[in-house]
Amino acid sequence: RADRSMDRRGALIEAGLAPDRADYILRRESEVRYEAMQAVFEARNAGESVDRFSPNMNPEAILRNEIGDTDYERYLEANGRPTTVGISSVMASSPAEQAGLQSGDEIVGYDGDRVFSSFELMQLTMAGGEGNVVIDVVRDGSPMQIVVPRGPIGVEIGRFRGR
């Protein structure tokens, strides 16, 4: 376990984090996971329902909120996890097709919010509201912005590893 922890610390440092920041992130990662377990335990013992999609029950969301998007991206990279949402296909007649999104595009933002996972993208697109939103996309290494109506955009998510 100590070797794995040192490997993860080294990977965080290699990803651009200062050693003390890497130590802090590893400690907070462990703490927020335990806190989420404890919250589930307490809710179940009290006979309450557990909303696993609540940000308070999501250790990743808590950690991201505490360390910020820049360090969270480094954290994901150091752990070999995607930092973008890859599009494997675009649905016919969808807002994505009409706006010009393509297979292979990588979504990095939705309506000004940084997006790291398909779950986050789904939450944002289903949040409701009216009007248009800007989607930040990387295509063949070049950033671009595409405007679509708020709501489901009509893409299938691929297994891209991100940047």
Side-chain angles (χ1 to χ4, degrees), residues 3 12 14 22 37 41-43 50 53-54 57 64 67 81 83 86 101 105 107 110 125 129 135 139 148 163:
D3 287 344
L12 289 169
E14 193 173 303
M37 281 188 231
F41 173 78
E42 290 171 3
V50 176
F53 298 110
S54 165
M57 294 289 184
R64 176 183 175 184
I67 68 175
R81 293 174 45 199
T83 60
L101 282 169
D105 286 350
I107 297 174
Y110 180 89
T125 61
I135 297 178
R139 178 177 295 156
V148 296
R163 298 186 275 152

Side-chain angles (χ1 to χ4, degrees), residues 49-68:
S49 63
V50 176
D51 179 6
R52 292 239 181 230
F53 298 110
S54 165
N56 298 337
M57 294 289 184
N58 183 339
E60 291 284 326
I62 294 167
L63 184 63
R64 176 183 175 184
N65 186 51
E66 288 183 13
I67 68 175

